[in-house]
Amino acid sequence: MTMAYEGAAATAAGQAQRRRTRRVVMASIAGNAMEWYDFFIYGTAAALVFGELFFPKGTDPLLGTMGAFAGFAVGFLARPLGGVVFGHIGDRRGRKIALEWTLGIMGASTFLIGLLPTYAQAGFWAPAAMVLLRILQGAAAGGEWGGGVLLISEAVEGRRRGFFSSFSQLGVAGGFVLSSAVFMLAQQLPRDAFMSWGWRLPFLLSVFIFGIGLYIRRHIPESEAFVQARKTARRGMPAVEVFRRYPREVFTAMGLRVAENGGSYIFLAFALAYGKFLGISSDLMLGGVLLSMFVELGTLVWFGHLSDRIGRRAVYLLGSAGLMAAAFPFFWMVETREPFWIFAAFLLGNTVCHAAMIGTQPSYFAELFPPEVRYTGLALGHELASVFAGGLSPLIAMALLRKYESATPVAWFLVGLAAITVITLLLTREPARRDRA
């Protein structure tokens, strides 16, 4: 009788844990998608309209776009600060409250971008206000990723952490798909209407997205790993603890991030501007991005699952080395101006190379740090690299295109980003898989 009772109790506990895991996974995906929609919509607008509306371009059509991408980069400068602030909140007060704050700041700043006057209406005050709101977006994004990852990675056991943790990236990819789709729909307006007020609609929609995301965030349970870690956590600043005790792990995360983050914004932001430079329809380029990101929703989860089987390091190496090999073919295919090859280029870059890295990244990074400083450690490693990788990549790529009027230097730049990550992987070992830690 005792054994039967214990068996039934274990079964009930296992079922309850599975229900909790499913709930956390779905909440993390939905909440992340809502927030990353807000962040990514700027990148799309920067590539297609902000250069013309907010930044003086003179006689050079690429100069205004460079100004828009400079504003894009400024948002990344704020991400490490957001990582420190919200990492501290997440490690000391809880993952949930930190994520509620990041969502609120992101939603408000995105909505206000949709209300800004243009350069023609307000002069230099327009880009100044844009940059300020972009800084707020960056700070919120800096605190978002680590918390969204931890909601899942701390809720599942080590042997399946790669698979389940990859679902947190569905929110990131889903946010981009959603933002691209909404922007594409807005572009169906007559051009004059779109340039006058239609571009504002995707930003103003963020007020509804904020409400949905906040409801989701408030109805998820706090991380059990955080609850246990808080009982024995040291007092003080988690950021100081991370750099004092885990500097190698921070730099490892930064090196791993370079190819994924830098490469993704070459494919997602610069590529749109490059297509415009070549005279390719924006709808066609956005369609390629949208298709590849939609397919990536499946492949990134598969790569997360594969990392549970053959190791995080091996899968990440597949993605970063693949990025090196795909750098030149990506631009060659775009330059054909043929829809089939343009779609194939985005599928190669995003669905394969990027997916292998982004699908493995949550579990890989989470296993680098212990629970008491994990939020801060993830945020710092993830966001410090984003400043010079994702933040500067589109700007550097645009500068190279403006100078050489060719994508060849940009392809070499992409090879260099991938090489940094490959070298990092070759110099590091497979992370230890702490069960539920």
Side-chain angles (χ1 to χ4, degrees):
M1 287 291 292
T2 301
M3 292 182 63
Y5 176 79
E6 290 177 350
T11 300
Q15 291 174 344
Q17 178 59 39
R18 285 192 290 273
R19 285 195 298 270
R20 182 179 184 278
T21 299
R22 285 195 296 268
R23 182 182 173 193
V24 169
V25 168
M26 295 305 299
S28 179
I29 293 171
N32 283 359
M34 298 300 100
E35 184 148 4
W36 287 104
Y37 165 89
D38 286 356
F39 190 73
F40 284 135
I41 200 70
Y42 182 98
T44 304
L48 300 178
V49 299
F50 279 173
E52 186 172 341
L53 294 174
F54 284 90
F55 297 87
K57 61 182 180 178
T59 58
D60 188 341
L62 295 180
L63 196 57
T65 304
M66 284 185 64
F69 278 139
F72 182 80
V74 166
F76 280 82
L77 293 175
R79 288 178 66 163
L81 175 62
V84 170
V85 172
F86 294 109
H88 179 90
I89 294 172
D91 282 330
R92 291 294 179 262
R93 297 190 58 192
R95 315 317 195 196
K96 275 184 62 176
I97 190 171
L99 289 171
E100 288 172 9
W101 273 96
T102 62
L103 182 65
I105 294 171
M106 180 72 81
S109 56
T110 304
F111 179 77
L112 290 174
I113 288 176
L115 299 177
L116 287 178
T118 64
Y119 182 81
Q121 296 168 328
F124 281 100
W125 288 108
M130 173 75 76
V131 169
L132 176 60
L133 292 173
R134 183 61 182 169
I135 289 172
L136 292 176
Q137 278 193 324
E144 164 65 25
W145 187 83
V149 166
L150 293 184
L151 283 179
I152 298 178
S153 66
E154 292 184 338
V156 299
E157 57 188 358
R159 62 188 177 87
R160 300 203 70 193
R161 184 177 290 131
F163 171 68
F164 281 111
S165 295
S166 67
F167 278 85
S168 65
Q169 302 289 47
L170 291 181
V172 180
F176 191 90
V177 169
L178 183 60
S179 67
S180 297
V182 171
F183 209 90
M184 184 180 291
L185 288 174
Q187 280 196 305
Q188 303 312 304
L189 291 167
R191 177 166 175 78
D192 289 345
F194 174 73
M195 296 302 291
S196 175
W197 55 268
W199 68 267
R200 299 179 184 275
L201 297 178
F203 291 89
L204 297 179
L205 280 174
S206 65
V207 69
F208 301 105
I209 288 172
F210 165 72
I212 296 170
L214 186 61
Y215 175 82
I216 292 169
R217 288 271 162 91
R218 287 190 169 178
H219 289 78
I220 53 176
E222 183 57 87
S223 161
E224 290 183 4
F226 164 75
V227 173
Q228 295 301 317
R230 184 168 56 177
K231 297 176 182 177
T232 57
R234 305 183 183 189
R235 296 186 180 275
M237 295 288 291
V240 174
E241 285 294 301
V242 166
F243 279 116
R244 187 174 68 85
R245 299 171 59 196
Y246 306 103
R248 180 184 178 89
E249 287 78 2
V250 171
F251 286 111
T252 296
M254 290 175 64
L256 296 177
R257 177 87 161 123
V258 170
E260 176 271 314
N261 192 230
S264 69
Y265 283 105
I266 293 292
F267 294 146
L268 302 180
F270 169 76
L272 298 179
Y274 184 57
K276 188 176 180 181
F277 171 78
L278 294 175
I280 301 173
S281 163
S282 295
D283 283 348
L284 177 57
M285 295 297 289
L286 273 174
V289 171
L290 193 58
L291 174 65
S292 65
M293 294 299 287
F294 183 77
V295 177
E296 187 178 9
L297 295 175
T299 58
L300 71 86
V301 172
W302 183 80
F303 281 118
H305 165 72
L306 186 64
S307 76
D308 286 328
R309 296 296 184 89
I310 68 174
R312 321 290 188 218
R313 189 166 166 266
V315 177
Y316 216 100
L317 186 60
L318 173 66
S320 55
L323 183 62
M324 292 182 70
F328 282 92
F330 176 84
F331 291 107
W332 293 337
M333 286 187 278
V334 170
E335 287 163 3
T336 66
R337 296 174 172 81
E338 294 291 333
F340 174 83
W341 291 111
I342 289 172
F343 279 40
F346 284 111
L347 287 168
L348 174 64
N350 291 324
T351 305
V352 180
C353 302
H354 183 246
M357 292 183 283
I358 200 174
T360 310
Q361 196 176 91
S363 54
Y364 203 146
F365 282 25
E367 290 168 349
L368 292 174
F369 303 96
E372 63 270 17
V373 295
R374 185 173 286 152
Y375 200 135
T376 302
L378 260 70
L380 283 174
H382 193 265
E383 305 309 338
L384 284 172
S386 74
V387 173
F388 59 84
L392 293 180
S393 289
L395 182 61
I396 292 171
M398 281 302 301
L400 291 171
L401 178 62
R402 183 168 178 260
K403 180 175 178 60
Y404 297 102
E405 297 187 351
S406 168
T408 298
V410 181
W412 280 116
F413 174 59
L414 195 54
V415 169
L417 293 175
I420 292 173
T421 295
V422 169
I423 292 170
T424 301
L425 286 163
L426 295 177
L427 295 177
T428 56
R429 294 172 293 183
E430 183 79 12
R433 302 190 190 182
R434 304 179 181 90
D435 189 33
R436 275 194 199 284

